[in-house]
Amino acid sequence: MTPVTADEESVLADLAGMLARLLEDEYGVDDAEIGMQTTFNRDLELESIDLVTLAGMLQERYGDRVNFAEFLAGMEFDEIIELTVGRLVEYVVTSLKAAGAS
């Protein structure tokens, strides 16, 4: 397993790679611009099943240190619809730092 760096830049690069792979595999999109302000719903047009796929990718990359389902479970529907890549990046960074500290 590749060492994981818990900073926004590395996590954003990891997530952008995962999302690019998901978009290409599922929709044939290979030119999506993915940044901190990118929304999963409006900008990337991901569906709920895509978030399940993303959860699996996050599990594969970060193991039990990052629980995407738990993160989403704590949100209202509107928050999930407006979820940005940046908010997920912050959650992953926080989770990794917490796991590293324990």
Side-chain angles (χ1 to χ4, degrees):
M1 187 183 282
T2 315
V4 175
T5 312
D7 66 69
E8 281 190 5
E9 196 174 315
S10 319
V11 172
L12 176 59
D14 281 350
L15 280 176
M18 290 176 205
L19 288 165
R21 196 166 78 226
L22 186 142
L23 288 165
E24 189 167 357
D25 291 352
E26 298 297 321
Y27 302 104
V29 173
D30 63 2
D31 60 351
E33 290 288 321
I34 299 169
M36 293 291 275
Q37 301 305 313
T38 305
T39 61
F40 290 97
N41 183 282
R42 198 173 43 249
D43 297 328
L44 301 178
E45 298 180 3
L46 294 183
E47 298 183 18
S48 53
I49 190 69
D50 298 320
L51 295 180
V52 172
T53 302
L54 180 59
M57 294 171 140
L58 288 165
Q59 174 75 32
E60 192 177 294
R61 175 73 176 110
Y62 300 115
D64 294 335
R65 296 169 294 185
V66 175
N67 187 332
F68 187 54
E70 189 177 85
F71 173 61
L72 291 178
M75 291 185 188
E76 298 293 324
F77 182 73
D78 293 349
E79 287 179 281
I80 294 170
I81 295 298
E82 294 301 317
L83 183 62
T84 61
V85 170
R87 183 154 177 211
L88 179 55
V89 166
E90 289 165 8
Y91 168 73
V92 171
V93 168
T94 303
S95 297
L96 293 175
K97 287 183 175 169
S102 59

